[in-house]
Amino acid sequence: MTDIDPESRPGAAGYDLADQVCEELRRAGLPAYVERPGVPRQPGVWVEVNDEGEYAGGVYIRWSAPELAETGLQAVTVLQNPAAPEWKRYTEVVVLMQTALIGILRLAGFSVVRAEEVDDVAKGDMYVHAGTPS
């Protein structure tokens, strides 16, 4: 099977937006990456292009802290304690980062909202609408 270069697909404008978002987040000192097939995830901000449906051309943004997430998940699954302090810490960091990322991107002129406003299963993510910042 041959991989198709994401930039050659019809939703290439979404990849342009994703690159702009990453560039702005890097300018603010945050590691940011566009999610692409075959590229392993790293800690930092992951930007995923939405190339289908009503909101095609926009991007989802997700804060990734794998080490913190793993510790939290282990506390919940091993200890069978959904109120474990490790899990609480992870979820609070995600909320803090979500707020910070929205603020940074809005300050740069992007139209960004909590993703659950456009997709009720994307809790914890952010969504940048298609279009360029003003």
Side-chain angles (χ1 to χ4, degrees), residues 29 35 51 54 59 83 85 94-95 99 111-112 121 130 134:
E35 191 168 23
D51 53 7
E54 181 180 353
V59 296
V94 169
V95 170
T99 302
S111 176
V112 58
V121 297
S134 57

Side-chain angles (χ1 to χ4, degrees), residues 18 33-35 41 46-50 58-62 125:
Y33 313 92
V34 177
E35 191 168 23
R41 287 192 175 202
W46 275 92
V47 180
E48 178 185 352
V49 175
N50 180 22
V59 296
Y60 287 97
I61 302 170
R62 175 176 309 110
D125 292 350

Side-chain angles (χ1 to χ4, degrees), residues 108-121:
F110 289 94
S111 176
V112 58
V113 296
R114 285 176 164 65
E116 51 265 28
E117 293 182 26
V118 295
D119 181 352
D120 59 357
V121 297

Side-chain angles (χ1 to χ4, degrees), residues 30-33 41-47 62-66 97 101:
L30 296 165
Y33 313 92
R41 287 192 175 202
Q42 301 173 37
V45 183
W46 275 92
V47 180
R62 175 176 309 110
W63 177 253
S64 174
M97 290 307 299
L101 292 167

Side-chain angles (χ1 to χ4, degrees), residues 6-134:
E7 271 103 37
S8 68
R9 293 191 303 200
Y15 285 93
D16 290 342
L17 178 61
D19 289 336
Q20 290 173 14
V21 165
C22 284
E23 181 180 328
E24 188 58 41
L25 292 172
R26 287 187 203 115
R27 288 181 62 210
L30 296 165
Y33 313 92
V34 177
E35 191 168 23
R36 299 190 194 280
V39 177
R41 287 192 175 202
Q42 301 173 37
V45 183
W46 275 92
V47 180
E48 178 185 352
V49 175
N50 180 22
D51 53 7
E52 295 180 0
E54 181 180 353
Y55 298 104
V59 296
Y60 287 97
I61 302 170
R62 175 176 309 110
W63 177 253
S64 174
E67 196 173 313
L68 199 57
E70 179 67 27
T71 303
L73 284 171
Q74 283 182 348
V76 170
T77 56
V78 173
L79 301 175
Q80 298 293 306
N81 180 6
E86 297 88 352
W87 180 251
K88 185 177 183 211
R89 179 176 179 213
Y90 169 68
T91 59
E92 287 181 5
V93 166
V94 169
V95 170
L96 289 168
M97 290 307 299
Q98 181 185 54
T99 302
L101 292 167
I102 288 171
I104 290 166
L105 291 172
R106 283 183 179 166
L107 188 61
F110 289 94
S111 176
V112 58
V113 296
R114 285 176 164 65
E116 51 265 28
E117 293 182 26
V118 295
D119 181 352
D120 59 357
V121 297
K123 188 168 177 69
D125 292 350
M126 286 77 40
Y127 191 81
V128 179
H129 295 278
T132 57
S134 57

